[in-house]
Amino acid sequence: MTSEACCKPAPPAVDNAVGKEETVGGLPAYVTGSWESGAAVILVSDIYGKLWKLADKVAAQGYLVVVPDFLKGDPFTPKNNSNSLEGLREYWLPKHPPSEAAQALKAVVEDLKGKGIRYIGAVGFCWGGKVVALAGKDKLFNAIVQMHPSLADASDYEGLQSSIAVLAAPSDGVEKFIPILKARNDIEHFVKVYPGVEHGWTVRYDENDPEAVKKAEEAHTDMLAWLKKHVPTSVNSS
């Protein structure tokens, strides 16, 4: 279920994009990094979209990074520019079911593999965390990362076929899924709950607040460490 803590809108980190738009898997996508890397990371946004700056940060580690528009040009917009989630359940989620986005994500993976990408990781934020979990039930990824996931349930973790890192705020309630992951001897997992943060803190923070930046960068570092461990490139495998 989605709670009021989920995806609370806040000023996003500023985007100074260096990549470009391409079509991947039939979707418009922000693409940054080199196709020659042999390894890609797909970022699946929260309900507000736009992860360009973080995509560039991941690409700097040697990855091709792809941010497809799974929101179909229709990010959630709070009514009257307030911090309200009014209408999220009623009209937005029915138009953007994570299951549909998971199928689209599979098409993106197929396209990347058809173009010579050998290793693929997927990182999902909030709504996107559910999307990567659903797609991760097929053997598509070398690793996935959930950043403050929402809409999670036990079946997401029972059926996973990829190693997974779950990086969450206390309000995300992921602790109840740890026993399920611990019982999975066939996949590697890592769960970290960060004290003193709110849902969405890794992508929607005030860049003029040093403490907020520090907390976001801690999660970014953990995310990149998991990717480097499981998604090899010519840069991080040498």
Side-chain angles (χ1 to χ4, degrees):
M1 289 181 64
T2 307
S3 71
E4 286 300 316
C6 170
C7 308
K8 183 178 180 181
V14 175
D15 291 309
N16 296 311
V18 299
K20 61 181 180 178
E21 185 172 296
E22 300 184 28
T23 298
V24 184
L27 292 174
Y30 177 75
V31 179
T32 182
S34 173
W35 284 90
E36 303 301 318
S37 71
V41 175
I42 304 168
L43 302 186
V44 186
S45 75
D46 60 14
I47 63 176
Y48 303 104
K50 204 169 186 185
L51 294 170
W52 297 349
K53 183 174 183 178
L54 185 55
D56 291 338
K57 185 174 184 177
V58 177
Q61 301 301 310
Y63 293 106
L64 173 75
V65 182
V66 181
V67 190
D69 182 15
F70 294 114
L71 305 184
K72 299 179 287 189
D74 180 35
F76 179 72
T77 303
K79 291 187 176 181
N80 301 318
N81 295 318
S82 70
N83 281 351
S84 171
L85 293 176
E86 181 182 354
L88 178 65
R89 291 174 179 272
E90 293 79 7
Y91 76 87
W92 195 87
L93 282 174
K95 292 194 299 180
H96 303 279
S99 58
E100 182 178 292
Q103 291 301 316
L105 176 53
K106 293 177 185 180
V108 171
V109 171
E110 291 175 4
D111 192 357
L112 291 173
K113 289 185 175 180
K115 293 175 179 175
I117 298 298
R118 297 177 57 196
Y119 305 102
I120 299 179
V123 183
F125 301 79
C126 183
W127 175 86
K130 180 73 171 185
V131 174
V132 299
L134 292 175
K137 295 186 182 211
D138 292 332
K139 294 183 178 180
L140 300 175
F141 308 109
N142 295 85
I144 67 176
V145 183
Q146 290 183 314
M147 308 288 273
H148 35 83
S150 64
L151 305 170
D153 59 50
S155 66
D156 295 340
Y157 305 99
E158 292 167 345
L160 274 178
Q161 299 298 313
S162 304
S163 61
I164 182 172
V166 183
L167 311 182
S171 62
D172 293 325
V174 301
E175 293 93 334
K176 60 181 174 289
F177 302 121
I178 293 176
I180 297 172
L181 289 169
K182 284 186 174 180
R184 296 287 308 275
N185 296 320
D186 55 327
I187 61 171
E188 189 173 352
H189 67 275
F190 172 71
V191 180
K192 182 173 178 178
V193 178
Y194 298 74
V197 301
E198 296 183 1
H199 180 90
W201 89 98
T202 70
V203 287
R204 299 196 163 273
Y205 57 91
D206 182 356
E207 289 196 318
N208 296 314
D209 181 340
E211 187 62 24
V213 172
K214 179 181 177 180
K215 290 176 178 178
E217 289 184 344
E218 179 184 357
H220 297 167
T221 298
D222 292 337
M223 173 192 71
L224 289 169
W226 190 256
L227 292 172
K228 289 178 182 179
K229 182 177 182 180
H230 294 282
V231 187
T233 72
S234 57
V235 173
N236 63 43
S237 61
S238 60

